[in-house]
Amino acid sequence: MSRVLRLHVPLALYLLFTLVPFYWMLVFALRPTGSTALVPWPITFEHFDTVWNGIGFGTFFYNSMVIALGVLVFVSILSLMGGYALARFKFRGQRLFLVALLCTQFIPGAMMLIPLFVIFREAGLLNSLTGLIVADVAFQLPLALILMSGFVRNIPVELEEAAMVDGCTRLRAFFAVMLPQLKPALVAVGSFAFIGAWNNFLFALMFASRQDKFTLPVGLSYALGEFNTDFGALAAGGVVAAVPVVLVFAVVQRFLVQGLSAGAVKG
Amino acid sequence: MRTKRWAPYALIAPTLVLMAVFLVYPIGSVVYYSLQRYNVTQPWKNGFVGLENFRSMFTEDPLFWQSLAFSAKWVVVEVGLQLLLGLVLALIVNETFLGRGMARAMVFSPWAVSGVLTTGIWILLYNPSTGIFQELARWGIGDPGTSVLGDPATVFPATVVTELWRGVPFFAILLLADLQSIPNDLYEAAAVDGAGRWRRFISVTLPHLKDAIILSTLLRAVWEFNNVDLIYTLTGGGPANQTTTLPLYVARKAVDSHDFGYGSALTVAGFVVLLFFSILYLRLSKFGSRA
């Protein structure tokens, strides 16, 4: 009985707090306009048709996917390179670099909007998906690199040394021995980057003013303002924006728990 | 090992370049702009004004002080509650029970959801005509209330709860990772010594979690200070600027009024707050670990 009070009751309450908002959105997205039924039946897909084809969420989805996948690829590769350098080499300026990486966590993206806008304007990167990818990579890379170096440090250096004694170059040893060991690390860091880029709102709002370059968060924010009577459309847009990240998260959340403990907490 | 000495530099070079262009250079230019009159809509008036932006910020702009005060209140309330609830949640999902993996994935999932999407979900939930409070009222629980986001009395708690929904999992995930690394023998030894459940929590669990708590609280406080997307889309800073944080004020100066000079001065003020806060906090945490 005490276990029920200590464990099951609070968990059930918290699950309610977590899931009711998700369910509320799903109900609005699936039931016809004007219905107040708590179980959406019969299910309608009219709202999805409205947002996907009518409001242009199909385009926003494509833009968000291109950006998030681009960021995933670049953050994974660059954090692997830098994380390996931090974990396996001693070099001049290493401490300074590490401190600089930590300091970037205190830099507010929102407060960098003005200079970044000027840089983007000068570089002709406004309204370009490439520009958004580059900015997201720059802001996400430091934390990813810290996490990755934690993962690399957790792999015994003897594995590599053995391969190099057997005649491998350092590069071959890395690809043959280290990379397979680092798969969970890549999953954690890559999904972290994907989720972060998928959700980035301010950069996309600021640097992409043309509707064909909107991302899902920007499209959704316009839907909040301009279609605030069409709750079905708003909810359907929300479902479109939520499904990929929540799926990614559900699949990789246990790697994230490991990754955060390996990289962030034990720095 | 047989590797060129330049190898580590080559490996970190792309990161260094990106950091220099997108982080270091912009900070320098914000400081430069803060000394300028720089308004995109009136370029003919632009030019060096010295500390004029700061003077008017400190002496003529009540909204600066108001947004700074709201930022402080927001960070303290939000981070305090997230830490408390996150710790409880982590302790719960660290226990062994049927369906634990499923429960973890579900209670952590809002963390993956962005500020704007969170806003969308909660606007549906808070809506005055079709939201959750109206549904509950139909069942006879509470009154069919007004709009919680439009009422000055409820807008703050409503915003706090919304951010808790997505922020508590952050602490829960980090603390769960650390809970899993506590060796079981410590608990067994404490139990042999006659320590009860509460005593074991105080003497074994909390000391072990201390570093993780300090680090995650520090990070989260900075992130919550910088949080813009949720408040921007949920309340727009209203009603009557009641929920305007400093970064939100900066963003509105930049996005809506194109006043880059004054916005930059506000940014510099924000940097100073963060710098002071992080130095203070780092010292405190060091002090804690020596004790």
Side-chain angles (χ1 to χ4, degrees), chain B residues 6-37:
Chain B
W6 48 259
Y9 299 106
L11 288 172
I12 63 169
T15 308
L16 277 178
V17 171
L18 281 174
M19 280 169 66
V21 175
F22 288 95
L23 299 166
V24 180
Y25 170 77
I27 292 176
S29 55
V30 155
V31 176
Y32 174 75
Y33 296 150
S34 72
L35 304 174
Q36 309 276 324
R37 195 194 136 78

Side-chain angles (χ1 to χ4, degrees), chain A residues 3-74:
Chain A
R3 191 171 153 82
V4 170
L5 279 179
R6 188 165 49 77
L7 181 70
H8 295 98
V9 171
L11 183 64
L13 285 176
Y14 203 85
L15 271 173
L16 218 56
F17 176 53
T18 301
L19 297 180
V20 163
F22 278 127
Y23 184 74
W24 208 253
M25 174 173 70
L26 208 58
V27 167
F28 270 86
L30 291 175
R31 74 187 178 193
T33 309
S35 161
T36 53
L38 285 183
V39 179
W41 195 261
I43 284 174
T44 171
F45 288 101
E46 58 171 312
H47 303 305
F48 287 96
D49 182 54
T50 306
V51 293
W52 190 268
N53 300 314
I55 307 178
F57 270 61
T59 310
F60 309 158
F61 188 93
Y62 169 82
N63 292 341
S64 283
M65 194 51 94
V66 169
I67 292 169
L69 288 177
V71 171
L72 180 149
V73 169
F74 284 109

Side-chain angles (χ1 to χ4, degrees), chain A residues 3 6 14 17-18 21 24 92 106 108 110-112 115 118 121 134 168 170 199 201 217 231 242 249 257 261, chain B residues 1-3 9 22-23 29-30 33 38 95-96 106 112 114 121 124 127 130 165 168 177 222 226 228 267 271:
Chain A
R3 191 171 153 82
R6 188 165 49 77
Y14 203 85
F17 176 53
T18 301
W24 208 253
R92 275 169 75 97
F106 299 105
M111 294 194 167
M112 303 289 270
V118 176
R121 200 181 49 194
V134 175
C168 280
R170 190 185 266 272
N199 287 336
F201 169 61
F231 292 124
F249 182 78
V257 174
S261 74
Chain B
M1 289 207 222
R2 330 150 269 173
T3 311
Y9 299 106
F22 288 95
L23 299 166
S29 55
V30 155
Y33 296 150
Y38 183 8
E95 304 245 349
T96 317
M106 285 196 284
S114 78
I121 293 174
L124 293 172
N127 182 265
T130 53
W165 181 74
V168 169
V222 174
N226 295 334
V228 169
T267 304
F271 279 145

